[in-house]
């Protein structure tokens, strides 16, 4: 009996040892698995970033897939000759009867629809403490830079010489002295001498040409760079694309509507005020005038750029449910962005239009699209609009109110920050192209570069 009791004790002791060993091993395995899981999913509770809304918080660095914070892209601002920045502003004023000034940096950039070049330039001049939430940080040593921003007021340069000459023999002489073509040539002559431009053939440079005609003379010499443009209407597939470049919103030219959503004070069904006669794709405007100008509760009239026209357009957009946005000389026009900040639902008739920031904005939620063939059928467009319910219009307005900050260049978390975010996302492609070019020997000259993939050419569908 004593012998059986001793055997039982040894068996129980062995069993307790095995259970203890199992518990230790299991604890170790669970800890290791948890650690691996944490490393695989960097947004765990311990190291997560608090997201304030669907677009993310601007106050905290994002985390990459390894759980480490991602630093802003480093950008170097070229100290270009004043001729290409403030000098353009000075010449613009002189051509309109102004005088030369002792300190050109005191000059104010004149308001027009292609002001992104001014807002981006002045943003990089601000202290970093004021550039909250920006995806890029300015560095002063070009060796540290990921990208290089080249400030040239190319859109303003294009319109320095007014349609109507300045009065007085001296002013007229000044007007004739300025040449946008010569300024473009001088700009490229300066840029192509820069060490960091030559290093990668301009691949890691950012150049703005927002007016569709800006830099037209030298565009082939800057096509390797990240181009900031309004559309691709006058650019070939080997010059620009959605893959390499960034679509910018126009600067809206009418006052923002600060009221709440609603249709009670919007008595006009459809509003348009602008130039009736345009070239190329804009010829559709005249056709739309012909079928819409006799419609009841529709205001469609010819208007040119002036203070009075802007006041009339502001009133019209703020009191209308829908705002017509046909193509201009190129697929885009500033009227779209005027419409959004007015909470007037855009009616887009432009088959080849490209829109800014489409990775964060679903335009089908804020605009109505018609293809040009359908839009010019008698009664087609207007009958579709009349069938849209009040509740659907309110949905459009609610969405516009949510996204309109993306079209406000003066908003501290608006257009400028979003442009830099879009630019920063191009960096991996730029690095790929730079490294690829170090080993590519031969490329068929008739084929577009792989960084200039063609954008969707299928046009748009009418959608309600």
């Amino acid at each position: 009996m004593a012998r059986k009791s001793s055997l039982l004790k040894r068996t129980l002791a062995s069993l307790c040892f095995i259970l203890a060993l199992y518990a230790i091993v299991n604890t170790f395995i669970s800890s290791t698995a948890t650690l691996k899981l944490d490393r695989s999913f960097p947004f765990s509770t311990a190291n997560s970033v608090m997201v304030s809304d669907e677009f993310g918080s601007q106050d905290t660095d994002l985390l990459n897939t390894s759980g480490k914070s991602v630093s802003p892209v480093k950008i170097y601002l070229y100290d270009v000759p004043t001729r290409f920045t403030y000098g353009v502003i000075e010449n613009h004023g002189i051509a309109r009867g102004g005088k030369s000034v002792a300190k050109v940096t005191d000059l104010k950039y004149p308001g027009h629809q292609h002001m992104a070049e001014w807002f981006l330039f002045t943003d990089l001049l601000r202290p970093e403490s004021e550039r909250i939430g920006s995806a890029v940080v300015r560095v002063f040593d070009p060796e540290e830079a990921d990208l290089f921003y080249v400030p040239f007021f190319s859109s303003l340069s294009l319109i320095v010489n007014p349609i109507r000459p300045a009065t007085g023999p001296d002013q007229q002489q000044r007007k004739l002295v300025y040449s946008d073509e010569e300024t473009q040539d001088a700009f490229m002559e300066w840029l192509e001498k820069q060490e960091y431009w030559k290093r990668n053939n301009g691949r890691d440079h950012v150049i703005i040409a927002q007016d569709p005609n800006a830099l037209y003379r030298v565009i082939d010499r800057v096509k390797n760079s990240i181009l900031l443009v309004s559309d691709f209407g006058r650019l070939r597939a080997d010059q620009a694309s959605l893959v390499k470049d960034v679509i910018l919103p126009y600067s809206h030219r009418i006052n923002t509507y600060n009221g709440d959503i609603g249709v009670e004070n919007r008595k006009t069904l459809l509003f348009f005020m602008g130039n009736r006669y345009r070239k190329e794709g804009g010829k559709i405007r005249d056709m739309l005038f012909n079928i819409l100008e006799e419609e009841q509760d529709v205001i469609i009239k010819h208007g040119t750029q002036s203070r009075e026209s802007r006041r009339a357009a502001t009133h019209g957009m703020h009191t209308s449910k829908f705002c017509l946005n046909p193509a201009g000389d190129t697929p885009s026009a500033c009227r779209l962005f005027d419409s959004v900040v007015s909470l007037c639902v855009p009616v887009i008739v432009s088959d080849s239009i490209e829109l800014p920031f489409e990775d964060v904005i679903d335009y089908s939620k804020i605009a109505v699209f018609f293809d040009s063939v359908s839009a010019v059928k008698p009664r087609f467009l207007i009958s579709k609009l009349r069938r849209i319910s009040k509740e659907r219009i309110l949905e459009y307005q609610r969405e516009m109110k949510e996204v309109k900050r993306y079209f406000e260049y003066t908003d501290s978390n608006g257009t400028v920050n979003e442009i830099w975010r879009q630019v920063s996302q191009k960096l991996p492609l730029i690095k790929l192209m730079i490294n690829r070019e170090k080993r590519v020997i031969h490329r068929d000259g008739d084929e577009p570069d792989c960084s200039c993939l063609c954008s969707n050419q299928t046009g748009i569908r009418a959608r309600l």
Side-chain angles (χ1 to χ4, degrees):
M1 186 71 180
R3 195 170 157 188
K4 287 183 178 179
S5 177
S6 176
L7 181 61
L8 181 60
K9 288 180 180 179
R10 285 199 299 269
T11 302
L12 288 172
S14 298
L15 183 59
C16 290
F17 175 77
I18 291 170
L19 289 172
L21 182 63
Y22 172 78
I24 293 171
V25 171
N26 186 60
T27 301
F28 175 76
I29 291 173
S30 298
S31 299
T32 305
T34 302
L35 180 61
K36 288 181 178 178
L37 188 63
D38 287 344
R39 288 175 177 171
S40 300
F41 296 92
F43 294 103
S44 61
T45 305
N47 58 0
S48 64
V49 174
M50 184 64 69
V51 179
S52 60
D53 56 34
E54 65 179 303
F55 301 119
S57 170
Q58 297 292 335
D59 299 327
T60 310
D61 283 347
L62 297 177
L63 300 181
N64 63 15
T65 53
S66 66
K68 298 178 180 178
S69 63
V70 179
S71 299
V73 169
K74 298 175 182 177
I75 195 164
Y76 179 78
L77 174 66
Y78 271 106
D79 184 16
V80 301
T82 307
R83 172 182 182 181
F84 305 123
T85 53
Y86 290 102
V88 180
I89 300 176
E90 181 180 33
N91 276 288
H92 182 276
I94 290 172
R96 286 155 182 77
K99 297 181 179 179
S100 296
V101 296
K103 190 178 180 182
V104 292
T105 53
D106 288 338
L107 292 170
K108 301 298 182 183
Y109 189 97
H112 68 110
Q113 61 187 358
H114 300 301
M115 291 184 67
E117 58 194 15
W118 171 253
F119 287 111
L120 294 176
F121 174 62
T122 53
D123 177 65
L124 290 177
L125 293 178
R126 295 160 61 200
E128 285 302 319
S129 60
E130 297 179 11
R131 303 183 64 251
I132 305 300
S134 180
V136 302
V137 58
R138 182 185 177 189
V139 295
F140 293 86
D141 181 356
E143 284 296 326
E144 298 178 8
D146 299 308
L147 297 172
F148 298 79
Y149 185 71
V150 192
F152 172 33
F153 297 164
S154 56
S155 294
L156 185 62
S157 178
L158 193 67
I159 60 170
V160 161
N161 293 329
I163 297 174
R164 295 179 180 177
T167 57
D170 293 338
Q171 300 302 336
Q172 176 68 3
Q173 184 178 7
R174 276 281 190 169
K175 168 188 170 295
L176 296 175
V177 164
Y178 188 85
S179 167
D180 175 50
E181 291 81 2
E182 289 178 7
T183 306
Q184 290 183 50
D185 290 339
F187 170 71
M188 287 309 305
E189 183 179 352
W190 177 87
L191 182 59
E192 288 172 342
K193 291 178 181 177
Q194 304 308 305
E195 173 188 353
Y196 293 95
W197 173 269
K198 292 187 287 187
R199 184 175 66 179
N200 293 313
N201 198 25
R203 284 269 182 209
D204 48 6
H205 284 54
V206 182
I207 294 176
I208 186 166
Q210 191 178 15
D211 188 295
N213 290 317
L215 295 180
Y216 73 92
R217 185 179 176 91
V218 299
I219 197 69
D220 275 323
R221 293 159 73 180
V222 299
K223 66 181 182 180
N224 284 343
S225 301
I226 300 173
L227 300 178
L228 310 182
V229 297
S230 292
D231 59 41
F232 302 134
R234 291 180 178 163
L235 295 168
R236 302 190 310 269
D238 67 321
Q239 293 173 330
S241 77
L242 288 175
V243 176
K244 177 179 71 70
D245 307 306
V246 177
I247 298 292
L248 305 185
Y250 289 65
S251 302
H252 65 82
R253 300 294 293 137
I254 69 170
N255 298 331
T256 299
Y257 179 77
N258 294 314
D260 205 351
I261 64 172
V263 297
E264 289 74 15
N265 295 322
R266 295 178 179 267
K267 305 301 183 184
T268 302
L269 176 68
L270 180 65
F271 177 82
F272 174 84
M273 183 175 180
N275 198 324
R276 176 171 181 164
Y277 304 103
R278 308 303 293 182
K279 297 172 286 186
E280 301 172 23
K283 291 178 180 178
I284 194 172
R285 291 190 181 188
D286 185 45
M287 300 167 72
L288 289 168
F289 263 78
N290 288 330
I291 65 172
L292 293 173
E293 58 187 350
E294 299 300 326
E295 288 286 345
Q296 198 172 24
D297 63 7
V298 170
I299 296 176
I300 181 166
K301 55 186 177 181
H302 177 77
T304 56
Q305 299 238 5
S306 68
R307 284 193 181 92
E308 287 186 8
S309 293
R310 282 199 296 275
R311 280 195 292 269
T314 297
H315 176 75
M317 288 188 170
H318 289 187
T319 56
S320 299
K321 299 178 183 70
F322 297 94
C323 287
L324 185 63
N325 292 267
D329 291 339
T330 61
S332 64
C334 70
R335 198 164 289 97
L336 167 62
F337 311 104
D338 290 338
S339 301
V340 174
V341 300
S342 299
L343 301 188
C344 182
V345 182
V347 177
I348 298 176
V349 185
S350 180
D351 295 345
S352 302
I353 194 170
E354 296 292 353
L355 299 166
F357 315 151
E358 284 202 84
D359 59 333
V360 293
I361 299 174
D362 180 354
Y363 282 86
S364 69
K365 293 181 178 180
I366 66 171
V368 181
F369 293 84
F370 290 94
D371 66 273
S372 58
V373 174
S374 299
V376 296
K377 293 178 180 177
R379 304 287 306 165
F380 180 83
L381 183 150
I382 203 68
S383 63
K384 292 285 187 181
L385 295 182
R386 293 193 193 282
R387 288 204 292 267
I388 298 177
S389 67
K390 171 186 174 181
E391 290 71 24
R392 185 70 182 98
I393 295 173
L394 293 177
E395 288 177 18
Y396 282 125
Q397 291 179 342
R398 195 173 292 111
E399 291 289 340
M400 284 190 283
K401 199 163 187 177
E402 286 294 317
V403 303
K404 70 176 184 177
R405 68 179 175 89
Y406 288 102
F407 310 120
E408 298 280 9
Y409 276 91
T410 56
D411 191 315
S412 59
N413 189 30
T415 313
V416 172
N417 271 9
E418 184 57 30
I419 291 172
W420 289 134
R421 188 185 72 82
Q422 298 280 338
V423 168
S424 70
Q425 291 179 332
K426 305 296 181 182
L427 186 58
L429 171 69
I430 299 308
K431 289 182 175 180
L432 181 152
M433 294 305 300
I434 288 172
N435 290 335
R436 182 174 178 271
E437 285 191 334
K438 293 176 182 177
R439 57 90 180 165
V440 172
I441 305 301
H442 174 73
R443 185 180 298 141
D444 189 340
D446 295 332
E447 296 181 0
D449 190 283
C450 69
S451 68
C452 284
L453 300 175
C454 296
S455 57
N456 178 21
Q457 297 296 315
T458 58
I460 60 174
R461 296 175 296 170
R463 183 171 180 174
L464 297 176

